[in-house]
Structures are given as C-alpha cells and as structure tokens.
Amino acid sequence: MLAESIGWRAIFWVNVPVVVAALALTARYVPESRAPHPRRPDPAGQALVVVLLGSVVTAAIEGQRLGWGSPVIISLAGLGAVALLALIRWELRRREPLVELRFFRSMPFSSATISAVCGLAAFGTFLFLTPLYLQEVRGLSALQSGLMLLPTAAAVTLAAPLAGRLVATRGARIPLLTAGISMTAVAILLTTASATTPLWLLAVAYGGFGLGFGLLNPPITNAAVSGMPRSQAGVAAAVASTSRQVGQTLGVAVAGTILAAAATPLAGYATAWWVVSGGTMVIIALAVLATTGWARAGAERVARRFADQPSTEPA
C-alpha cells in the first residue's frame, strides 16, 4: 500500500513504530540476564569476519557480471579463504574468542548453525524471488503481491509458538523434520510455477513455506544453547543468530546470480528453487542426526569442558 500510494522508500517507515514498540516491551517485560563477567572485545576477529563475509558475498553477487574466472572474483575468493584460515588460527588462540570454534564439536550446535544458514538462505530466496515472480511474470501490482504473501506471514505467526511448545514437550526433532519437509515440498512445487499456475495454489504453497519457516527457528535456538553452561549460552545464541543473517545474505546473493544467468526468468526461478530444495533437505538430514543419543552425549561432553575451564582470560 505504501509503495503504490507514497513510494517505495516509504516502506522503511514501517520499521520505526515496530522498533519503538520493541524497545518499550523489552524494557518492561524482558528480564535482565548476563554472564558472570563481561567478555573481552575481539576487534581482530571482528575485522576478519567482515573481510570473510564481505569478500564471499561480493564474489557471489558480482561473479556473473564480471565472470567467475576474472581476476577480481578470483582475488575475492582468495581473500575470503585467507580470512577464514586467519580467523580460525586467531580464534583458537584466544580464551574468549569472538567465534568459539570449540562449540562446533557439539553435533547439535553444528547442526543448528548449518540449519540456520540453510533455512534463512531459503527464506531470503523466497522473499527475493516471490515478488519478482508475482509482478514480472504474473503481472500483479505491489499491493496484490503483498496480499499474496499474507499466508506466509500468518503461518509463521501461528507456527513459531507451536514450535516452542513442541520443543518443550517432545524435543526438537519433530518441528525440525516438519520444517524441513514442508519447505522442501514447497520449493519443489515452485520449480514448476508458470505464468498460468492458479493463484490459490500459490497462496497455499506460500502458507506452507511460512509454516515450515515458523517451525524452524525455535528448535535452532534451543539446539544452539542446549546443554551449554550459563556463561557460554549468550555466545552460542549469538553464533546461531549470526548464522541466520549470513544465510539470508547468501541466499539473496546466490538467487540473484542464478536469475541473472538464466536464459529466461522462469528458468531462473526453477533453478533457484531446486537449489533451495537442496538446502532444506540438509535440514531434514540434520534434524535426524542432531537429535540422536550420540549427538546429545557429544554436546554434554563439550558443555562439561567449558564448565571446567577458568572463566577469566589472563591479561
């Protein structure tokens, strides 16, 4: 409605009342929690993460335009590889690193991180491709496209608290499996979308995708912090949260590259949705592996190691 009546820039004003409400509600209802001691800043680690993500995302976006074998893309890939190796070496030497690499010895934590990347890459692709398809292929207006996406928003709103209850009562496997299966089924269905696909079928598919995405986030957060000592829970949750942002960024970048390289828009959409289905199948596999007794035992061993180590870093 804002895009059609005022202009596309007006959509960013929606964030203002939402953020104000979030600040007020957080101050009123969210209890304070903190680690026993503040963690030391890691500016070198932060710089290496920025270089790593910046080079990878830029290469993914510009690869099609500049050529995958061009000196710029090869240089960006090399820079990303060097930044990754340097980050691993640096973080392993710190008592309180920016990215605690030892967390990844825990299968539930590693699975949560990978699932967050795959799930948010899928959702980022969905949000990027769907309006393009609806407006460029189906000829819908911005308002009509927004209405078509309402089933997604409604399904996410309903599924997220349901997932929380399922995690509390039945564990993470059921919501993770349901999320992965739902998102995979919709992605495969959307590979067949054409200029004549019934809008009601698309609305159902979009709702199914929202259902899967809504079920995904609570078990990811639970798996990331489950079993971690209190002093490490914030760091573990931060890594999982960052993985979501990385996944969404990469999803949009890769989908845009695929679309730009395709012979026709529909061919590009189909290819991108096949890529999405591959990522959501990974979520299904990890939902099984990360909820086994072997995986839980490994997570408990990692948690015990952190619980036994000193809580302060020497000067």
Side-chain angles (χ1 to χ4, degrees):
M1 292 173 62
L2 289 172
E4 292 190 358
S5 60
I6 301 176
W8 67 267
R9 291 177 177 82
I11 65 173
F12 296 104
W13 286 106
V14 174
N15 295 329
V16 175
V18 172
V19 171
V20 170
L23 289 172
L25 292 172
T26 300
R28 175 65 178 85
Y29 295 108
V30 177
E32 183 61 272
S33 62
R34 63 184 65 187
H37 75 284
R39 294 176 61 84
R40 296 191 176 189
D42 185 7
Q46 291 173 313
L48 288 170
V49 169
V50 170
V51 173
L52 170 61
L53 296 181
S55 58
V56 170
V57 173
T58 303
I61 293 173
E62 299 294 339
Q64 177 62 30
R65 183 176 68 87
L66 299 177
W68 294 105
S70 68
V72 173
I73 300 303
I74 293 176
S75 298
L76 286 170
L79 180 61
V82 171
L84 175 61
L85 293 175
L87 177 67
I88 293 173
R89 180 178 176 82
W90 174 257
E91 297 298 88
L92 287 175
R93 296 171 57 189
R94 288 183 59 85
R95 182 73 61 98
E96 295 179 338
L98 174 70
V99 180
E100 180 53 82
L101 299 178
R102 290 172 294 176
F103 284 168
F104 292 95
R105 297 174 184 172
S106 165
M107 181 64 184
F109 179 84
S110 297
S111 298
T113 303
I114 297 172
S115 295
V117 172
C118 292
L120 268 294
F123 194 62
T125 301
F126 173 83
L127 293 178
F128 176 66
L129 292 183
T130 302
L132 291 177
Y133 163 78
L134 292 174
Q135 295 181 55
E136 293 186 357
V137 177
R138 302 308 299 267
L140 301 185
S141 66
L143 175 59
Q144 292 170 328
S145 299
L147 293 175
M148 285 293 297
L149 286 172
L150 281 180
T152 306
V156 171
T157 303
L158 294 174
L162 173 62
R165 295 189 182 94
L166 285 173
V167 170
T169 58
R170 303 293 297 276
R173 177 175 290 188
I174 291 176
L176 281 174
L177 278 175
T178 306
I181 292 171
S182 176
M183 295 172 77
T184 300
V186 172
I188 293 175
L189 173 63
L190 292 178
T191 63
T192 66
S194 67
T196 58
T197 302
L199 292 180
W200 67 265
L201 179 60
L202 291 174
V204 171
Y206 298 161
F209 200 86
L211 172 68
F213 182 71
L215 292 172
L216 181 65
N217 278 300
I220 284 177
T221 303
N222 176 266
V225 303
S226 180
M228 293 292 176
R230 182 181 179 86
S231 62
Q232 301 293 335
V235 181
V239 173
S241 178
T242 303
S243 299
R244 293 184 176 95
Q245 312 312 316
V246 171
Q248 187 158 6
T249 301
L250 291 176
V252 173
V254 172
T257 299
I258 292 173
L259 201 59
T264 64
L266 283 176
Y269 296 141
T271 302
W273 282 117
W274 279 119
V275 173
V276 168
S277 68
T280 52
M281 287 179 186
V282 171
I283 296 174
I284 298 173
L286 292 176
V288 176
L289 292 175
T291 53
T292 61
W294 166 77
R296 289 191 293 270
E300 291 172 359
R301 287 194 297 271
V302 172
R304 285 196 297 269
R305 289 173 186 161
F306 280 104
D308 294 338
Q309 73 178 22
S311 59
T312 59
E313 181 175 296

